């Protein structure tokens, strides 16, 4: 069956050739889509209203070209419209959103520690991500070792918030259509635009603080531009990821930039080599990391200074957002 344009029928297949023609000319010859076209195209991708052949072509073309701010804006608008927004209980803090899609390969993944420290202070904390990643230790696996089961739906997340615990939601539970596009990595062998989008989605109806990370310098420039131009529904912290995770490096703090209503402020400067290394888990497996995190929460091991600073900045901004 020949695909037809969906500009008048949002449920019909989308003829994607005109989009592929623009983005598929290689890194130097490709042109970026408008925000409106990007929203239309990504919505069709989420709903699988493009053929598998077209979907693969789009994902690989964007991988080569790289996303523009307009494209990210349109993609994200479609992405956030594809799942229901979450609610958070009233309190002293706006919700804090921590994406977790990388896990750890060498050093211990301390994202669960960050989430638990924030929740202990009364902030509603949502961690969303993947449950497994071959060769890496995921945040989900560490939460499981800590005895913290995932939230299966919005009601489960709210129950965690009300109990003073961070809520972990697998992306398949939070945004199943986005999870479907993430899974294309297993078929194509490379990441796609959705891997960037899941790290910047704002899942709450009310203003929230998003903690976001990047791995390549060009993404710092693009995402920084995006957050300056799109200060909707809250604030964002942007930092170089610790093995891709949005938690401060326990050994040496990395730069953290804050985006608030279009204004960019550097909160934390990049730290040089430290003379005394903190006491960290001996191994990076889930059980060892969970045991170490529990010792920190019990006061037997001090919180690494960079993570303590990250917690302090998060709580300050989340409190101000809630009061605004």
């Amino acid at each position: 069956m020949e695909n037809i344009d969906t500009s008048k029928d949002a449920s019909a297949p989308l003829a994607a050739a005109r989009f592929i023609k623009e983005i598929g000319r290689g890194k130097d010859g490709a042109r970026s889509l408008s925000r409106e076209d990007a929203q239309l195209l990504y919505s069709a991708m989420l709903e699988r209203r493009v053929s598998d052949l077209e979907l693969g072509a789009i994902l690989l073309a964007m991988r080569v070209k790289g996303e523009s701010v307009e494209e990210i804006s349109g993609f994200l608008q479609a992405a956030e419209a594809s799942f229901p927004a979450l609610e958070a209980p009233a309190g002293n803090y706006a919700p804090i959103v921590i994406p977790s899609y990388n896990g750890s390969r060498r050093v211990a993944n301390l994202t669960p520690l960050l989430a638990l420290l924030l929740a202990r202070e009364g902030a509603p904390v949502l961690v969303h991500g993947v449950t497994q990643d071959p060769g890496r230790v995921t945040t989900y696996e560490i939460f499981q070792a800590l005895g913290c089961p995932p939230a299966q739906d919005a009601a489960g997340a709210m129950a965690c918030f009300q109990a003073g615990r961070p809520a972990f939601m697998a992306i398949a539970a939070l945004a199943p259509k986005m999870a479907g596009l993430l899974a294309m990595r297993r078929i194509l062998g490379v990441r796609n635009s959705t891997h960037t989008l899941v790290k910047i989605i704002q899942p709450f109806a009310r203003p929230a603080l998003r903690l976001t990370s990047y791995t390549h310098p060009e993404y710092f420039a693009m995402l920084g531009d995006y957050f300056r131009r799109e200060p909707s529904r809250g604030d964002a912290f942007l930092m170089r990821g610790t093995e891709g995770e949005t938690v401060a490096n326990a050994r040496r703090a990395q730069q953290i930039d804050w985006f608030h209503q279009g204004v960019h402020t550097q909160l934390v400067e990049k730290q040089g080599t430290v003379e005394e290394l903190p006491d960290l888990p001996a191994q990076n497996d889930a059980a060892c990391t969970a045991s170490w995190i529990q010792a920190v929460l019990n006061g037997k091991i001090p919180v690494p200074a960079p993570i303590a600073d990250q917690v302090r900045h998060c709580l300050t901004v989340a409190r101000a957002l809630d009061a605004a």
Side-chain angles (χ1 to χ4, degrees):
M1 182 182 69
E2 183 180 357
N3 280 0
I4 61 174
D5 195 289
T6 63
S7 56
K8 295 183 180 180
D9 184 354
S11 64
L14 174 71
R18 67 182 180 95
F19 303 107
I20 297 171
K21 183 178 179 181
E22 297 296 316
I23 64 176
R25 298 177 182 271
K27 187 172 180 61
D28 297 323
R31 292 188 290 267
S32 294
L33 302 175
S34 68
R35 177 173 179 155
E36 292 73 19
D37 278 349
Q39 181 183 358
L40 173 64
L41 178 60
Y42 198 73
S43 178
M45 292 163 61
L46 288 165
E47 296 162 4
R48 297 302 177 94
R49 292 191 288 109
V50 297
S51 69
D52 289 346
L53 180 62
E54 290 168 313
L55 180 60
I58 294 163
L59 295 178
L60 290 177
M62 292 301 302
R63 170 81 178 184
V64 172
K65 183 184 82 66
E67 304 89 353
S68 69
V69 172
E70 286 296 302
E71 287 168 334
I72 284 292
S73 297
F75 289 169
L76 197 63
Q77 190 168 352
E80 291 181 349
S82 73
F83 62 90
L86 299 177
E87 300 293 338
N92 296 321
Y93 298 100
I96 300 173
V97 183
I98 306 176
S100 184
Y101 289 85
N102 291 75
S104 67
R105 182 174 286 146
R106 295 180 298 275
V107 302
N109 175 9
L110 301 185
T111 303
L113 174 63
L114 172 64
L116 288 159
L117 290 171
L118 290 168
R120 188 164 69 176
E121 297 299 321
V125 180
L126 173 72
V127 185
H128 61 88
V130 294
T131 57
Q132 59 182 354
D133 191 347
R136 291 178 177 266
V137 181
T138 65
T139 294
Y140 166 83
E141 291 166 334
I142 298 168
F143 272 134
Q144 288 289 91
L146 284 164
C148 301
Q152 300 296 337
D153 51 27
M158 177 62 83
C160 290
F161 302 149
Q162 291 173 333
R165 302 192 306 270
F168 178 90
M169 288 189 74
I171 187 63
L174 175 65
K177 293 180 181 179
M178 296 188 76
L181 293 183
L182 279 182
M184 292 296 293
R185 182 186 181 188
R186 294 196 296 269
I187 299 173
L188 298 177
V190 294
R191 293 172 178 260
N192 61 69
S193 299
T194 307
H195 289 84
T196 298
L197 296 173
V198 290
K199 292 186 176 183
I200 61 175
I201 56 174
Q202 208 287 55
F204 288 92
R206 59 182 285 197
L209 172 61
R210 287 173 285 178
L211 308 189
T212 61
S213 66
Y214 65 95
T215 52
H216 302 292
E218 59 267 26
Y219 277 93
F220 173 76
M222 187 273 289
L223 291 175
D225 193 14
Y226 170 78
F227 287 129
R228 279 189 295 269
R229 292 166 55 179
E230 300 286 341
S232 60
R233 301 202 337 272
D235 289 8
F237 287 177
L238 180 60
M239 61 181 282
R240 184 96 184 218
T242 302
E243 290 202 10
E245 286 292 312
T246 313
V247 59
N249 190 319
R251 291 188 172 93
R252 184 169 59 186
Q254 56 270 67
Q255 180 176 314
I256 299 179
D257 294 86
W258 172 32
F259 296 86
H260 170 71
Q261 296 183 354
V263 177
H264 171 202
T265 304
Q266 187 181 112
L267 286 181
V268 177
E269 294 184 0
K270 182 179 178 180
Q271 187 180 13
T273 303
V274 296
E275 295 182 359
E276 185 176 349
L277 293 176
D279 182 9
L280 294 174
Q283 305 291 331
N284 76 331
D285 62 277
C288 185
T289 302
S291 177
W292 182 89
I293 287 174
Q294 193 62 63
V296 173
L297 294 173
N298 292 340
K300 296 179 180 178
I301 299 173
V303 179
I307 296 178
D309 285 344
Q310 186 180 16
V311 168
R312 176 171 56 84
H313 286 302
C314 288
L315 293 174
T316 298
V317 171
R319 182 183 285 275
L321 271 177
D322 183 74

